[in-house]
Structures are given as structure tokens and as C-alpha cells.
Amino acid sequence: MALCSNFPFSHTRWCAGDFFSYESVQKKRPFIIILILILAALLTPPDIVSQLMLGTPTYLLFEAGLFFARKYRNASTMKEQRDARDIASFDVFATNGGSKKKWKKLNEKPMGKMPVKAVNMKDDYLELGFAKLDISRKRRIGFDETVFCSGKTKEQLLQIFSAFQENSCNALGTRCSWEQYEFVRNAMPEVHYDTTSKILSLRNRKPQALAGKIAICCAGTADLPIAEEAATVAEFQGATVEKFFDIGVAGLHRLLSKIEQIRRANVIIAIAGMEGALAGILAGLVQAPVIAVPTSVGYGASLQGIVPLLSMINSCAEGISVVNIDNGFGAAIQACRILKQIAHH
């Protein structure tokens, strides 16, 4: 019983020492409870009262250990997030000539963390050392900056989005992994993540609605991640989007059944892998400009999207522009630029 009373302390210490994680203990919880019952039966006389007198306190102490281990895990995670945000702020502070001594003095106050927006900004971008955030992009081209998340550490991504938040900027992150999203979300619950398109978004202000409509047409269900990337980006910029999925050339009647709805759009984004024929067919049936997105969907000879890319570039149908392979983001921004020009005229 004396050994069992150390459960709360030992759980917390073992988690602190990385001997095991809270999650691993939680996963094995049913087996540990069974083990407690077996030990209670072996160590006590063969009567239910004695077994309960040993088993019940042991179980409660085990649950207490789990509770304190979870509290320690949460506290450690929050400290890790705060440290990452503080590093971001100090990097900016130091880049702009601040000393470590002055930094410590600023942080002696309860809320003394250096606000990123208070740093002197040169040439309308925010210097983070490892990145220069283009916070004036919205003013120049009408769209907020978008971050390509792949290749960045989760700590860097948190610093970037924290800086955008401090400056009240909207921001998008494309190709964001679930691990990156969870790390950022723990410190910034206001971010949003779309699991299909893998887009991380931060919205501090509502975008101005764009006139017109974008039709996003994808050939097959396997193209959905790219189609959703295009749709999420366009909607984030204020565009009205209508989606038409799984209307590829393998069943042309599916496309023809939706063609009148597609024709009502001001811009069409055609997304296809395999042979990439959808863009050319659409361009021959509609008056609106068609933006073609080749995808890497297909068997070996599709060469990871090179075949549909070449097919779209060489299409006989007029009025097609082609973006890079799997670049739903680029197609969406191009479509939004067209809608902006429609509104101007």
C-alpha cells in the first residue's frame, strides 16, 4: 500500500523524465486496471471486502497519478509554445538593435513580452531573422501574404502566425501538416485548419466580397485536395465559389449535366490528372476564361502530373491558362485577380 501511495508522484516524475508519455499510459489504462485487480486478489485473503480495501485505493491513486501527469504534460506544452513565441519576439527585437539586457527589463512586467507590431518595420516588411513577413502585400496587390508551410519547422510557423496576429493581418498557410497545425493551435486557438486542402488560416478581418463567381471543376475524387485548396483560398479572399466534383471525361454525361450551371461562372478552374483533358473540353463549351490545374494523380506514365501539364499547355481549345502541377492556390489567386478586374470595369 505504501508503494501504491507513490503513484501520483512517480507518474509525474516519469513523464518529466520522458520514461513514458501520458498518452502511452492512458492507452494501456484498461490493462493496468486489470493488473491492479489481479494484484489485489493475490495479496489479500480470498474475500471480496479485503480485495476491495486494497484494490480501490490503489485504483484511485493510479487515477490521481494520471491526472497529475496530464497536468504536467499540458503545462510543459504551454511553456514550449510560450518559449517559441518569446523567441520570435526577441529575434525581432534583437534584429532591430535591441539588447538582451533591455529585453529582460521589458519582460519583468507581467505582460512584458515585446509586441511584434511595436518593432520598427523597414521597407514595409517585418523582420524575423529567418523570414521577412510581407505585411504590406494587402495594400499593394489586394491579397494578404500566404505562407508555404512545408519545409518550415512548427516553431517557425508559430512565430510567423504570431507576428501576423500581432499586426492584425489575415494570413494563409498552404501544405500545412496536422502536426504543424496542432502546435500552432495550442498557442493560437483562433487559427483554422482544413484537413482536405491542408490549409491553415488566420482571419482578423472579414474580406471584401468579390463580384462574380468562380466555378471549380475537378475531374475525379482523387483531385479533391487540390480542388479544395483552390476553393478555400478563393473563399478566404472573398470570392463566391461553386464546386463541381467528379465530372471527368470518363463519363462525359456527368459534365454535360452541369454545363449550364458552369456557364454562369465568370471564371472556371479546371483540375485534372491522368491525361488532363477536362480543361480543353470545358474551354470549348464556355465563354469564361479557364484556368487549368494539372494534378499528380495518375498511373506511372502520367509522370507525376507532367503528362496532364503538357496536355493542357498544348490544348487546341482557346482561352486556357495553365498553372503549375497541384497548384490550386495559384489558380485561385489568378481567378480572384480576374474577378477584381471585372469589378473595376
Side-chain angles (χ1 to χ4, degrees):
M1 193 65 189
L3 181 64
C4 295
S5 66
N6 283 314
F7 265 149
F9 176 76
S10 58
H11 277 192
T12 307
R13 293 304 303 163
W14 287 339
C15 285
D18 290 331
F19 291 106
F20 54 72
S21 66
Y22 163 78
E23 287 78 8
S24 64
V25 178
Q26 179 69 15
K27 197 176 291 185
K28 294 180 175 61
R29 185 167 169 269
F31 302 103
I32 295 174
I33 293 172
I34 292 171
L35 181 61
I36 289 172
L37 294 174
I38 293 172
L39 287 174
L42 292 173
L43 297 174
T44 58
D47 68 273
I48 191 69
V49 175
S50 299
Q51 292 170 3
L52 286 174
M53 286 178 66
L54 177 62
T56 302
T58 305
Y59 168 73
L60 293 174
L61 287 166
F62 168 72
E63 290 294 337
L66 272 183
F67 173 78
F68 288 115
R70 183 173 68 249
K71 296 286 281 185
Y72 172 82
R73 189 273 313 267
N74 292 342
S76 298
T77 302
M78 289 180 68
K79 183 179 182 302
E80 187 180 357
Q81 308 294 348
R82 286 195 301 270
D83 288 347
R85 295 185 78 161
D86 287 345
I87 289 168
S89 300
F90 175 70
D91 285 346
V92 177
F93 186 67
T95 303
N96 287 271
S99 66
K100 193 168 185 178
K101 185 177 179 181
K102 191 173 181 181
W103 169 259
K104 286 183 177 178
K105 189 175 180 181
L106 283 168
N107 279 272
E108 285 173 359
K109 300 176 183 179
M111 296 299 290
K113 188 172 62 178
M114 177 66 182
V116 178
K117 63 182 177 183
V119 176
N120 179 35
M121 289 170 291
K122 210 173 177 182
D123 301 323
D124 290 327
Y125 66 80
L126 191 61
E127 179 65 70
L128 294 185
F130 65 89
K132 295 175 176 61
L133 304 188
D134 189 2
I135 59 173
S136 64
R137 186 175 299 183
K138 176 72 174 178
R139 187 171 66 251
R140 293 196 324 272
I141 68 172
F143 301 109
D144 293 287
E145 185 172 9
T146 299
V147 178
F148 186 69
C149 300
S150 180
K152 293 179 175 63
T153 67
K154 57 184 185 292
E155 292 82 8
Q156 288 173 336
L157 202 59
L158 174 59
Q159 293 173 35
I160 288 169
F161 272 80
S162 296
F164 282 131
Q165 176 74 344
E166 294 281 355
N167 286 273
S168 301
C169 294
N170 289 353
L172 280 176
T174 61
R175 307 299 162 92
C176 179
S177 69
W178 180 261
E179 181 187 9
Q180 287 174 318
Y181 159 64
E182 283 198 315
F183 187 82
V184 175
R185 182 195 61 182
N186 285 337
M188 300 178 60
E190 57 270 29
V191 296
H192 179 265
Y193 183 69
D194 181 74
T195 53
T196 305
S197 64
K198 295 183 178 178
I199 286 183
L200 181 69
S201 59
L202 172 67
R203 177 168 284 172
N204 285 300
R205 59 181 181 273
K206 189 176 180 181
Q208 184 179 354
L210 299 178
K213 183 169 65 176
I214 300 172
I216 296 181
C217 308
C218 79
T221 305
D223 302 309
L224 278 182
I226 309 305
E228 288 292 354
E229 179 179 89
T232 302
V233 171
E235 289 171 340
F236 187 83
Q237 304 299 344
T240 301
V241 171
E242 192 168 1
K243 305 172 188 177
F244 302 91
F245 294 159
D246 199 21
I247 54 171
V249 297
L252 200 56
H253 57 292
R254 298 175 299 184
L255 168 60
L256 296 176
S257 71
K258 301 291 183 182
I259 195 61
E260 290 305 321
Q261 294 171 255
I262 295 171
R263 281 174 174 155
R264 289 195 282 270
N266 301 92
V267 190
I268 296 167
I269 298 176
I271 301 165
M274 301 290 187
E275 78 295 323
L278 178 64
I281 291 173
L282 277 170
L285 294 172
V286 300
Q287 295 182 11
V290 175
I291 304 168
V293 185
T295 73
S296 52
V297 171
Y299 297 104
S302 69
L303 303 178
Q304 295 295 302
I306 293 177
V307 168
L309 171 65
L310 296 176
S311 172
M312 290 169 173
I313 290 173
N314 286 282
S315 176
C316 181
E318 305 96 327
I320 298 178
S321 59
V322 185
V323 298
N324 204 352
I325 298 168
D326 292 339
N327 190 10
F329 164 77
I333 293 297
Q334 185 177 342
C336 289
R337 282 177 178 258
I338 292 172
L339 292 188
K340 280 181 176 286
Q341 293 306 308
I342 292 173
H344 289 163
H345 293 86

